[in-house]
Amino acid sequence: MNTSVSIILPATDETYSLTQTVERALSLLPNRTLQFLIVTSPKLTTNECRSTIADLGSRYGDTIDTFDQHLPNIGGAIQNAFSRAKGDYTVLMASDLETDPSVLPELIGAIESGADVAVTTRWRKGVRFVGYHPVKLVFNFFFQLLFRILYWTKLTDLTYAYRAYRTDVLKNIRWEETRFPFLFETIVKPLRLGYKIVEINAPWAARTEGVSHNSIPQTLAYIRTGMRVRFMRKRAMVY
């Protein structure tokens, strides 16, 4: 299908993995017009990462749209990218290969088949975590269970921020978080608003390049965000 896809890639210290992500996406989605929104941080993005982005720009031209974020933190960076997304669909993924590009065709196919949002899961039968800390795994399991009950959803993974959206859905929702809980907000608000969401199996393997900027206090803040959105008025979530 002749559709266009915007792929958001926050980048701080990725080099080889960022290049692999872009090249694999291009090969896996050959019949779509792609826009790579590579968001950089004025303070965190390394010179090596910026050199990699410049190389990608020289090879792929206008397909690469790179810019420094002006809103703070990871949530702010992605919100800046939302405002620049031109594709029919928008994909949120990582630049470090934790989000396997091989899943992209299935994610986009789900949207083309009528879903508003396509999400990935690491928790259904047959999907595995590789290199995930055992304590975090237990915490993640109970977190998923709690919020599946609170949101009365069959989705099994509400924290894996590898998702595809109809772009008009993203632009209709009022986003508020700027830190890591933003990645939780981007699923619980569509759930509350009743959008059609499908779930696709996706493997997870620990990054081999770069450093995670998440932390335990930020992870615990997901609970605050989930509880707040659960009882928020729907009309306060949209423009």
Side-chain angles (χ1 to χ4, degrees), residues 16-230:
Y16 170 80
S17 56
L18 174 59
T19 299
Q20 285 290 297
T21 299
V22 170
E23 291 179 345
R24 290 181 65 188
L26 285 165
S27 67
L28 289 162
L29 300 171
N31 299 319
R32 279 80 169 187
T33 300
L34 301 188
Q35 174 197 24
F36 292 95
L37 292 160
I38 304 181
V39 194
T40 53
S41 165
K43 295 181 179 179
L44 297 177
T45 301
T46 64
N47 290 334
E48 292 80 5
C49 182
R50 290 186 185 276
S51 294
T52 297
I53 296 167
D55 178 65
L56 289 168
S58 67
R59 285 195 282 153
Y60 299 115
D62 292 342
T63 301
I64 306 296
D65 180 3
T66 183
F67 56 95
D68 271 349
Q69 67 186 89
H70 64 266
L71 291 175
N73 307 311
I74 183 63
I78 297 173
Q79 288 185 53
N80 286 159
F82 284 172
S83 68
R84 298 170 73 109
K86 299 177 180 177
D88 300 305
Y89 316 128
T90 297
V91 174
L92 177 59
M93 62 187 302
S95 301
D96 56 17
L97 294 177
E98 281 188 352
T99 51
D100 188 345
S102 67
V103 181
L104 282 169
E106 194 172 359
L107 279 173
I108 299 304
I111 303 294
E112 291 174 340
S113 296
D116 299 308
V117 184
V119 302
T120 56
T121 179
R122 302 158 293 181
W123 281 104
R124 288 202 306 211
K125 185 177 180 180
V127 186
R128 297 181 64 185
F129 290 84
V130 178
Y132 205 83
H133 193 284
V135 174
K136 291 177 64 177
L137 190 66
V138 171
F139 180 83
N140 191 300
F141 174 81
F142 286 105
F143 182 95
Q144 306 292 347
L145 182 62
L146 169 64
F147 282 97
R148 286 180 69 188
I149 294 170
L150 281 175
Y151 281 82
W152 201 247
T153 179
K154 294 181 179 180
L155 297 179
T156 60
D157 199 338
L158 301 173
T159 56
Y160 194 14
Y162 187 13
R163 307 179 184 123
Y165 302 79
R166 283 189 10 240
T167 301
D168 61 310
V169 168
L170 287 178
K171 292 182 182 288
N172 183 53
I173 297 175
R174 187 186 302 275
W175 305 111
E176 300 170 272
E177 298 287 345
T178 59
R179 295 184 181 275
F180 274 92
F182 172 78
L183 302 174
F184 191 36
E185 182 186 21
T186 55
I187 187 57
V188 291
K189 280 189 174 177
L191 273 171
R192 283 290 321 280
L193 292 168
Y195 285 110
K196 181 179 179 181
I197 304 173
V198 300
E199 191 172 58
I200 294 164
N201 289 2
W204 185 94
R207 64 168 70 200
T208 58
E209 181 184 35
V211 177
S212 173
H213 298 284
N214 203 347
S215 67
I216 291 176
Q218 287 169 335
T219 301
L220 293 175
Y222 278 48
I223 296 174
R224 175 186 58 81
T225 296
M227 297 300 293
R228 181 176 60 82
V229 173
R230 179 63 184 85

